[in-house]
Amino acid sequence: METLIFGLTVTAIGIAIVFAGLVILLVGIETGCMIHAANKAPAEDATLVVLGCRTYGDRPSIMLASRLDAAYEYLTEHPDAICIVSGGQGPDESMPEAECMYLYLTEKGIASERIYQENRSTSTRENLLFSQEIIEAEGLNPEIAIVTNEYHEYRAGMVADALEMEYSAVPARTPLWLFPTYYIRELYGIIYEWVL
């Protein structure tokens, strides 16, 4: 009896070690994909697509402000580039995210005629799909640079690939104290995209 219990214990420990190893391997692969995607340098004067995020009244959340600051830097360095701010209105938001993003960038000095608003989307897939419609309707440069937080560039790129969009990245830096929460959540999001 003791031999059987010992054998079962050793087997359970072995299974746990293999499972933990597989999880570590999966996280390592996903992290590598995130890093690679965030370093996909944008083309000169690509059409920026800034992905929406939570807003508070007419002010962006910390995460959204980091994306807008990255977009502002690119637009300042590339004065001929055009930008699409993409985000609809959530049930607890007082205006579409796109409108809040537009106000933020114009207040910082970006000319309004350089900014298109996509205000219907509720997901990354819709952000890119509806922005693609604007690009086609307005005859904008079809090569896009996705502006989102660095951890999210890979999954956003997967969606862009599915939509057959030519894309690169303008990554926004996530504050260190927020990074672990969003990173872990993103790992699940990537698995979801892989499975689909």
Side-chain angles (χ1 to χ4, degrees):
M1 186 65 166
E2 288 180 6
T3 304
L4 177 62
I5 292 171
F6 177 75
L8 290 174
T9 302
V10 169
T11 301
I13 291 171
I15 291 170
I17 290 171
V18 168
F19 180 76
L22 290 173
V23 169
I24 291 168
L25 177 63
L26 179 63
V27 168
I29 290 169
E30 288 183 272
T31 301
C33 290
M34 287 180 189
I35 292 168
H36 177 73
N39 287 305
K40 192 170 183 177
E44 197 73 21
D45 298 330
T47 299
L48 288 190
V49 177
V50 188
L51 304 187
C53 193
R54 177 104 174 106
T55 62
Y56 299 99
D58 64 350
R59 305 312 306 164
S61 62
I62 292 171
M63 299 297 281
L64 183 54
S66 70
R67 296 176 188 186
L68 292 168
D69 290 339
Y72 172 78
E73 186 175 324
Y74 182 90
L75 291 167
T76 301
E77 292 172 1
H78 301 85
D80 293 327
I82 297 297
C83 174
I84 299 172
V85 288
S86 179
Q89 183 172 345
D92 55 352
E93 294 176 321
S94 61
M95 66 172 61
E97 292 167 3
E99 184 178 346
C100 175
M101 296 156 79
Y102 171 87
L103 292 172
Y104 186 93
L105 288 173
T106 54
E107 284 173 9
K108 288 178 74 82
I110 301 299
S112 60
E113 60 269 18
R114 297 177 67 195
I115 307 170
Y116 291 82
Q117 294 184 56
E118 182 291 296
N119 59 14
R120 299 180 293 148
S121 56
T122 59
S123 67
T124 300
R125 189 169 303 279
E126 289 182 354
N127 286 144
L128 294 172
L129 177 62
F130 297 157
S131 294
Q132 187 178 47
E133 291 174 2
I134 291 172
I135 289 167
E136 291 170 357
E138 298 294 334
L140 304 178
N141 183 355
E143 187 169 349
I144 66 167
I146 302 171
V147 185
T148 189
N149 295 84
E150 69 283 272
Y151 64 83
H152 188 229
E153 288 285 2
Y154 174 63
R155 186 158 57 98
M158 291 171 68
V159 174
D161 270 336
L163 295 172
E164 299 181 354
M165 300 178 83
E166 192 174 340
Y167 70 94
S168 54
V170 174
R173 298 296 168 216
T174 304
L176 285 177
W177 62 278
L178 289 173
F179 189 85
T181 301
Y182 284 94
Y183 169 78
I184 290 168
R185 190 173 75 176
E186 190 68 10
L187 293 175
Y188 290 107
I190 291 170
I191 292 170
Y192 178 80
E193 288 292 334
W194 281 351
V195 170
L196 289 182

